[in-house]
């Protein structure tokens, strides 16, 4: 019997919740431990994740402790997606899926995160920074929209939802907050339909509802 994986998370940060989505999609038992920001930078957590961020996991089934959301997603897929439900096992699709996961980590996460920072948390208003990151958000959405339009597929790699698609959901959910003036349906209709397919998945709905509930506490 599979033991509960421990997921270290935070109520608002998108990255831990994308791990939760994959855990739900794979039907794995897990326990979420919600952390406060000051505790991330001191022991015992700093030994678990030297970067002092969430997410991290501890898997008692393998004895592995792991940080960084992308690495965690790949580990969960390699270890537990034995039926290849959410990934491909052969080239080129296997590596194309990795490509889109890495674009999520290098493109979506940082640019969306910087827009959140400069619009909501920075000590002084810097319109040029806000404009830069709003433009980058539009550029990233345009990349996905153009790719899906060109391939004519429902998902990033073929017509199969993979862990790479799912990795985008939790940051996408913040678009209305990050760029309230953006009409995603109008400007990026193919992206919007893709995202709608993802958020309508039962596992994704469950996690997004849990995130909203936790954020309202």
């Amino acid at each position: 019997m599979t033991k509960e994986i421990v997921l270290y998370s935070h109520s608002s940060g998108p990255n831990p919740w994308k791990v939760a989505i994959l855990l739900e999609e794979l039907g794995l038992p897990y326990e979420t431990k919600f952390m406060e920001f000051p505790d991330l930078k001191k022991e015992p957590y700093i030994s678990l994740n030297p970067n002092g961020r969430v997410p991290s996991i501890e898997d008692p089934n393998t004895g592995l402790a792991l940080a960084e959301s992308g690495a965690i997603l790949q580990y969960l897929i390699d270890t537990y997606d034995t039926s290849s439900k959410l990934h491909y096992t052969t080239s080129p699709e296997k590596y194309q899926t990795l490509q889109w996961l890495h674009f999520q980590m290098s493109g979506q996460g940082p640019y969306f995160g910087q827009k959140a920072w400069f619009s909501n948390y920075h000590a002084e208003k810097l319109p040029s920074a806000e404009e830069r990151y709003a433009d980058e958000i539009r550029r990233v959405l345009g990349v996905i929209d153009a790719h899906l339009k060109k391939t004519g597929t429902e998902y990033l790699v073929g017509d199969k939802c993979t862990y790479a698609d799912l990795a985008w959901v939790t940051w996408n959910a913040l678009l209305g907050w990050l760029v309230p003036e953006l009409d995603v349906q109008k400007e990026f209709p193919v992206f919007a339909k893709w995202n709608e397919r993802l958020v309508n998945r039962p596992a994704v709905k469950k996690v997004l509802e849990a995130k909203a509930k936790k954020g309202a506490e």
Side-chain angles (χ1 to χ4, degrees):
M1 183 177 178
T2 305
K3 299 176 184 177
E4 283 189 339
I5 295 169
V6 179
L7 169 62
Y8 293 89
S9 183
H10 187 268
S11 59
S12 61
N15 287 328
W17 295 93
K18 73 184 187 186
V19 175
I21 285 175
L22 189 57
L23 289 166
E24 289 287 347
E25 286 277 357
L26 293 173
L28 295 171
Y30 67 100
E31 172 194 3
T32 303
K33 291 188 177 181
F34 290 99
M35 306 293 292
E36 297 299 329
F37 286 127
D39 296 329
L40 300 178
K41 304 296 185 182
K42 59 188 181 184
E43 296 293 354
Y45 187 79
I46 200 71
S47 289
L48 177 63
N49 182 350
N51 192 33
R53 301 287 182 90
V54 285
S56 297
I57 63 166
E58 290 181 305
D59 187 350
N61 302 287
T62 61
L64 181 69
L66 193 63
E68 296 298 322
S69 60
I72 294 169
L73 297 187
Q74 289 182 247
Y75 164 73
L76 293 174
I77 287 292
D78 289 347
T79 307
Y80 294 107
D81 190 19
T82 55
S83 64
S84 302
K85 173 188 174 185
L86 297 169
H87 78 287
Y88 295 94
T89 59
T90 57
S91 183
E93 293 86 357
K94 176 180 178 179
Y95 300 104
Q96 291 168 344
T97 307
L98 278 172
Q99 166 191 290
W100 290 109
L101 174 65
H102 281 263
F103 181 49
Q104 186 278 319
M105 294 184 292
S106 67
Q108 187 204 33
Y111 291 130
F112 284 42
Q114 289 298 311
K115 179 60 167 68
W117 173 261
F118 282 107
S119 291
N120 299 281
Y121 306 113
H122 196 62
E124 59 181 307
K125 296 298 287 183
L126 295 174
S128 61
E130 292 187 55
E131 182 179 356
R132 165 175 163 71
Y133 291 113
D135 288 345
E136 284 299 315
I137 288 174
R138 286 185 169 89
R139 184 187 68 80
V140 168
L141 300 189
V143 170
I144 299 295
D145 193 82
H147 168 70
L148 293 172
K149 192 180 297 180
K150 183 177 181 179
T151 61
T153 57
E154 291 197 342
Y155 297 100
L156 294 174
V157 183
D159 288 315
K160 173 179 177 176
C161 179
T162 70
Y163 65 92
D165 297 278
L166 295 167
W168 289 74
V169 169
T170 53
W171 279 106
N172 285 347
L174 298 178
L175 279 168
W177 176 61
L178 293 171
V179 194
E181 70 276 14
L182 175 63
D183 187 338
V184 177
Q185 298 278 353
K186 182 179 179 180
E187 294 190 39
F188 306 104
V190 184
F191 166 89
K193 289 179 181 177
W194 165 71
N195 189 60
E196 185 178 0
R197 281 191 289 274
L198 296 174
V199 299
N200 282 329
R201 295 174 68 88
V204 174
K205 279 186 176 181
K206 180 179 178 180
V207 172
L208 292 180
E209 288 171 1
K211 183 178 184 296
K213 182 178 179 181
K214 186 67 180 176
E217 290 181 357

